Amino acid sequence: MREQDAYLSEAVIGGSGNGCKLGQTFPAPETPDASHIDQSVELAGVRLKNPVVAASGTFGFGREYGEFFDLSELGGICCKGLTLSPREGNPPPRIAETPLGMLNSVGLQNPGVDAFIRDELPFLRQHDVTIIANISGNTPEEYGVMCEKLSEAGVDLIEVNISCPNVKAGGLAYGTRPELAAEVTREAKRHAAVPVMVKLSPNVTDITEIARAAADGGADALSLINTLRGMRIDVNTRRPILKMNTGGLSGPAVLPVAVRMVWEVSRAVSLPILGMGGVSTGEDAAQLMLAGASAVAVGTALFADPFAPLKVRDGLVGIAARQGLSAVRELSGGVRPW
Ligand code: SIN
């Protein structure tokens, strides 16, 4: 039996009824020198210096997190979702904790695409990091207008959000109907001078249907998963915790759903995938990459630990080193299904 197998079976025995051996410590696996590991990846022809992106809606426009670390350390920053006009978002309460996650019903609060280009993009551009603009529209035409403005302004990639569960117009209406998903993608592609990545919703019966529709519409990449619709209720007041009644679930609880969906989509279409959903460690990120993602986004984990993306990056590099790889991207699609 290999040493590694012994380590695993001991853990399984302890967890399956023999009782946890309190006080017993397992030696941390040795981390070989990882300085030779190539961290760079490609997403729709755009080079990221490492595979870790700050997920949209969890990083604002980077200013606050820039007080903790140099934003150039990241592979990419996906900005808070933009709309054509400014939006105040939904009324509070619009955030609620859940077991191993959180619900949000923010409702796309943002200053609008023009203010982003004027006030935020110049700051972001001071850093050596790939900038991804996330956009939501009320109509396919609005997506087109924003793609044109953002391409001219010089973002590197546009994430077309057809999966926000917290707005009445656009959002999920586009992300759950293949023909509308394809139409929005086509309109975005017609006006974008940079690659277009379509963000998919998990709130569908078959995510590969929407993935194929986005591919048919000309998407250069896909990102998944957005949040799962959920609800919490205060049993004393009998009121939902969120003012909008429902919201989107994110955090570690959704990771297995994300891994499964990335795996399904990667087998259905041949587009690069930005995988996300509950990533807080290098191992979580490696699961998404093995399932088929080219890069990963870290979101909810940022609220508990602003350094989470850097820890995820270092964890991924450590896994690549321990597995004898020369580049982190070699993990992509490497799952060995039974
Ligand atoms: C929100 O602002 O409501 C979240 C955005 C999203 O889930 O796409």
Side-chain angles (χ1 to χ4, degrees):
M1 194 186 283
R2 291 177 308 154
E3 204 181 335
Q4 192 186 2
D5 291 341
Y7 171 90
L8 277 178
S9 51
E10 181 69 9
V12 169
I13 290 164
S16 63
N18 279 8
C20 197
K21 295 174 188 166
L22 289 178
Q24 181 175 3
T25 54
F26 294 96
E30 269 183 35
T31 303
D33 175 26
S35 54
H36 64 288
I37 304 276
D38 180 355
Q39 298 183 24
S40 67
V41 296
E42 235 189 60
L43 192 61
V46 177
R47 182 183 179 278
L48 277 59
K49 69 158 80 71
N50 66 63
V52 181
V53 173
S56 177
T58 62
F59 207 72
F61 302 112
R63 289 188 191 273
E64 296 81 3
Y65 288 96
E67 292 178 18
F68 289 95
F69 61 86
D70 179 359
L71 301 182
S72 305
E73 295 270 323
L74 294 168
I77 295 174
C78 194
C79 302
K80 172 63 188 158
L82 300 167
T83 48
L84 198 50
S85 307
R87 282 178 67 104
E88 283 192 358
N90 291 326
R94 54 188 199 180
I95 299 280
E97 283 189 51
T98 63
L100 286 178
M102 62 174 268
L103 285 170
N104 93 81
S105 57
V106 171
L108 297 175
Q109 179 181 349
N110 79 97
V113 71
D114 293 328
F116 165 76
I117 290 169
R118 187 185 61 234
D119 303 332
E120 307 294 346
L121 192 54
F123 162 76
L124 286 164
R125 274 281 161 242
Q126 290 167 18
H127 303 86
D128 175 23
V129 62
T130 297
I131 306 298
I132 306 172
N134 173 297
I135 59 168
S136 289
N138 291 321
T139 61
E141 292 69 32
E142 284 193 8
Y143 282 94
V145 174
M146 285 188 277
C147 281
E148 210 163 293
K149 286 175 182 260
L150 289 161
S151 298
E152 268 171 32
V155 303
D156 298 305
L157 232 150
I158 297 174
E159 183 175 57
V160 169
N161 188 356
I162 54 168
S163 46
C164 176
N166 303 324
V167 288
K168 288 200 178 78
L172 266 187
Y174 293 138
T176 52
R177 292 172 57 187
E179 67 284 3
L180 293 182
E183 187 186 342
V184 169
T185 309
R186 264 194 297 275
E187 193 65 15
K189 277 296 291 176
R190 227 194 320 273
H191 292 88
V194 296
V196 166
M197 175 165 74
V198 178
K199 185 166 187 175
L200 304 183
S201 171
N203 301 300
V204 289
T205 308
D206 179 3
I207 195 167
T208 65
E209 239 190 337
I210 310 293
R212 284 199 190 89
D216 290 347
D220 300 295
L222 301 173
S223 56
L224 59 141
I225 56 173
N226 204 326
T227 53
L228 281 149
R229 288 191 75 206
M231 184 174 187
R232 268 191 62 200
I233 297 173
D234 180 325
V235 295
N236 296 315
T237 63
R238 301 191 173 193
R239 291 278 197 192
I241 307 279
L242 298 174
K243 199 61 178 262
M244 297 300 289
N245 297 321
T246 64
L249 178 68
S250 60
V254 311
L255 176 70
V257 178
V259 173
R260 187 262 294 180
M261 288 192 163
V262 165
W263 182 57
E264 288 176 345
V265 168
S266 74
R267 299 199 306 172
V269 298
S270 57
L271 289 176
I273 295 172
L274 175 63
M276 69 192 78
V279 173
S280 50
T281 66
E283 194 163 313
D284 299 341
Q287 287 192 60
L288 284 171
M289 291 188 73
L290 289 168
S294 301
V296 293
V298 176
T300 302
L302 277 156
F303 298 137
D305 179 0
F307 296 102
L310 306 188
K311 291 176 182 169
V312 168
R313 176 200 62 188
D314 295 347
L316 260 180
V317 173
I319 289 167
R322 283 198 295 283
Q323 297 192 358
L325 309 181
S326 56
V328 176
R329 62 179 166 275
E330 289 169 35
L331 288 167
S332 289
V335 65
R336 298 189 298 141
W338 297 106

